[in-house]
Amino acid sequence: MILPIRAYGDPVLKKVAQDIEPGHPGLEQLIADMYETMYAANGVGLAAPQIGQSLRLFVVDASPFAEDEEGKPTEDAHLKDFKKVFINPYIVEEEGEEWPFEEGCLSIPNIREEVFRLPRIVLQYQDEQFKEHEETFDGFAARVIQHEHDHLDGVLFTDHLPPLRRRLLQGKLKDISRGKTDAKYKMRFTPTK
Ligand SMILES: [Zn+2]
């Protein structure tokens, strides 16, 4: 089932999400719905707070970046298998020299801004069977995880922008929270005062 994506301004996007216990009711369906919702919106990642569930869970699928239009491997060919569910993820290490990348977010349609992040992370997480993992990610994969992991701590990519840049975006962000956007997917809005 495709779920509406919560827009900028929804209080659930500012909350710190709760850990998930094994046997969480409806978890399998929730994960399936999150994939369906993400694909319908052409997203690379989707975090549970973005569909209104304040839970430490996100899904990613960066495999489209592994091939060009003709199906030939790109320089990101290692992303071919980067389709994953992350349960209770925690970044335990971040290292390297920060690098810029233009990020966007399904909760903030049609805004892209350069965000600086460190290139390498160590992530602890559980898979769908609640098996523990500790894994190193770098480059684009690390970038996607850092963005989604932020959602679980109530942080949006706009929070990383320099104050002036953020001030310049205020009007556009307010418009989004009021539903003034032409996003091509289903959204839910909570206007801010
Ligand atoms: Zn996002």
Side-chain angles (χ1 to χ4, degrees), residues 106-164:
L106 294 178
S107 295
I108 312 175
N110 303 322
I111 292 184
R112 301 192 70 85
E113 290 286 332
E114 201 168 72
V115 177
F116 283 84
R117 299 188 192 265
L118 300 183
R120 204 158 37 256
I121 61 165
V122 179
L123 188 77
Q124 279 177 0
Y125 66 96
Q126 289 157 11
D127 60 25
E128 288 163 274
Q129 282 73 46
F130 285 87
K131 193 169 163 275
E132 291 277 354
H133 297 268
E134 184 171 298
E135 212 174 324
T136 302
F137 296 92
D138 52 27
F140 187 69
R143 173 69 64 164
V144 173
I145 290 172
Q146 285 162 321
H147 177 112
E148 299 309 327
H149 185 269
D150 268 356
H151 275 298
L152 309 184
D153 292 329
V155 174
L156 300 171
F157 81 85
T158 45
D159 296 321
H160 290 290
L161 301 177
L164 176 62

Side-chain angles (χ1 to χ4, degrees), residues 1 24 43 63 84-85 116 121-122 128 135 139 157 176 186:
M1 187 173 57
H24 183 90
S63 57
K84 257 179 192 295
V85 178
F116 283 84
I121 61 165
V122 179
E128 288 163 274
E135 212 174 324
F157 81 85
I176 290 172
K186 200 157 59 152

